[in-house]
């Protein structure tokens, strides 16, 4: 009996670890999260447009350029510090057709057309232990969602290839290598109001890594560098003074020995 129980537990664990069940997965089909209010900029010329905020980021993807997921699906995920895949938490999920028709979730967990209020059986979401899987209503269109984030860095497992734009959080930048990192390196950048926007003409990597700094960090870093420089100069001056005082003390106490000899002749005994 114990062996049968252990075997059953082993089967469940293997299934969970293989990602074939949502038993250990994230609760990505929460109606409250999927129906959360969100405003997205669908009118973009980029295949992917990300806007980073203080505690989340929004993403708008052109699904015709997707690279991850089976036909009619797109897979969304992130990785933790150990490079283990985790389902991406989705909020405010929406889909816009090329003609402008918009689908979104309501508080009852139903997907509706915003123009007519009609309920449709599309844009369903499920998860495995590693990934969130969205069933796409069409092969062409834009998928938009919001997902939580924190800190001054972000690693995006890119679900589409093509042109990208990323708006950094307000009053931040990523132009000083010592304080930031952008991998792969962006092709261009521009500033709009208090945001820096990084762009890539054709991003075809599976991972986009971003690390940035607050504008005020530059002043802090500059202040620390100035303090370090002043301390270095003071230390050098102190060391120099100590050497000079040691020389003066030796001269005063007659310690210095003049080894010079003005006689250019041979040593005594050889003249």
């Amino acid at each position: 009996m114990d062996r049968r129980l252990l075997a059953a537990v082993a089967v469940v664990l293997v299934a969970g670890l293989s990602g074939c069940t949502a038993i250990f997965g994230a609760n990505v089909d929460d109606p409250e999260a999927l129906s959360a209010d969100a405003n997205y900029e669908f009118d973009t010329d980029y295949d992917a447009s990300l806007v980073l905020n203080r505690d989340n980021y929004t993403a708008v993807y052109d699904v015709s350029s997707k690279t991850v997921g089976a036909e009619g699906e797109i897979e969304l995920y992130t990785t933790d510090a150990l490079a283990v895949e985790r389902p991406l938490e989705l909020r405010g999920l929406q889909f816009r057709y090329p003609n402008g028709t918009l689908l979104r979730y309501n508080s009852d967990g139903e997907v509706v057309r915003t123009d007519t209020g009609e309920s449709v059986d599309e844009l369903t979401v499920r998860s495995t232990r590693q990934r969130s899987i969205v069933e796409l209503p069409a092969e062409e269109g834009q998928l938009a969602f919001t997902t939580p984030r924190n800190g001054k860095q972000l690693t995006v497992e890119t679900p589409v290839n093509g042109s990208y734009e990323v708006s950094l959080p307000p009053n931040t930048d990523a132009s000083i290598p010592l304080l930031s990192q952008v991998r792969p390196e962006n092709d261009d950048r521009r500033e709009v109001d208090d945001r820096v926007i990084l762009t890539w003409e054709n991003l075809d990597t599976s991972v986009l890594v971003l690390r940035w700094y607050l504008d005020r960090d530059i002043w802090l870093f500059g202040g620390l560098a100035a303090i370090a420089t002043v301390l270095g100069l003071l230390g050098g001056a102190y060391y120099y003074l100590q050497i000079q005082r040691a020389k003066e003390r030796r001269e005063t106490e007659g310690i210095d020995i003049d080894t010079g000899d003005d006689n250019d002749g041979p040593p005594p005994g050889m003249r």
Side-chain angles (χ1 to χ4, degrees):
M1 187 69 173
D2 291 340
R3 291 182 178 180
R4 292 181 180 179
L5 178 59
L6 290 175
V9 172
V11 170
V12 172
L13 287 175
V14 169
L17 292 174
S18 65
C20 296
T21 179
I23 294 177
F24 302 103
N27 185 20
V28 300
D29 57 353
D30 177 17
E32 183 177 355
L34 295 176
S35 63
D37 291 331
N39 295 317
Y40 303 109
E41 184 56 60
F42 288 102
D43 296 326
T44 175
D45 295 328
Y46 292 88
D47 295 308
S49 180
L50 280 63
V51 179
L52 279 54
N53 303 305
R54 187 179 67 175
D55 56 2
N56 64 49
Y57 75 87
T58 64
V60 177
Y61 291 118
D62 182 351
V63 299
S64 64
S65 302
K66 79 179 186 72
T67 59
V68 183
E71 183 177 355
E73 299 177 346
I74 190 169
E75 297 180 359
L76 305 169
Y77 64 99
T78 185
T79 54
D80 58 21
L82 299 177
V84 177
E85 294 181 1
R86 293 283 184 260
L88 201 62
E89 183 179 339
L90 305 178
R91 299 180 60 85
L93 186 65
Q94 300 179 16
F95 184 89
R96 193 180 82 156
Y97 290 92
N99 64 3
T101 299
L102 187 66
L103 303 182
R104 63 163 299 170
Y105 275 79
N106 63 19
S107 58
D108 295 327
E110 298 176 331
V111 180
V112 297
R113 293 179 47 151
T114 57
D115 56 346
T116 64
E118 176 188 359
S119 177
V120 296
D121 187 19
E122 297 175 331
L123 201 63
T124 58
V125 181
R126 69 182 191 279
S127 74
T128 66
R129 182 174 177 270
Q130 288 89 9
R131 305 190 177 193
S132 298
I133 302 174
V134 180
E135 295 187 12
L136 300 171
E139 294 182 357
E140 295 186 357
Q142 293 168 293
L143 182 72
F145 59 85
T146 302
T147 189
R149 57 153 298 275
N150 56 66
K152 298 179 184 178
Q153 61 183 11
L154 177 67
T155 299
V156 180
E157 306 294 335
T158 56
V160 304
N161 283 346
S163 57
Y164 269 68
E165 70 170 352
V166 177
S167 298
L168 297 179
N171 303 312
T172 65
D173 203 347
S175 59
I176 301 178
L178 188 62
L179 301 177
S180 62
Q181 180 184 25
V182 178
R183 192 177 74 243
E185 184 177 357
N186 54 294
D187 298 316
D188 200 1
R189 55 175 281 144
R190 67 182 187 274
E191 295 184 18
V192 178
D193 298 329
D194 59 351
R195 287 183 182 267
V196 170
I197 301 177
L198 308 179
T199 59
W200 293 258
E201 294 181 0
N202 185 24
L203 188 67
D204 57 1
T205 60
S206 60
V207 179
L208 175 61
V209 178
L210 300 165
R211 180 165 55 88
W212 57 90
Y213 54 85
L214 296 171
D215 291 343
R216 66 170 181 264
D217 291 346
I218 298 179
W219 296 101
L220 177 61
F221 179 76
L224 292 175
I227 292 173
T229 301
V230 170
L231 291 176
L233 292 173
L234 291 176
Y238 176 79
Y239 181 71
Y240 176 78
L241 290 175
Q242 291 296 100
I243 292 176
Q244 294 302 314
R245 288 175 181 173
K247 286 182 179 180
E248 293 175 359
R249 187 167 59 253
R250 288 198 298 269
E251 292 175 356
T252 301
E253 298 175 356
I255 298 176
D256 284 349
I257 300 177
D258 187 5
T259 58
D261 192 345
D262 295 334
N263 190 349
D264 295 332
M270 297 184 63
R271 299 178 182 177

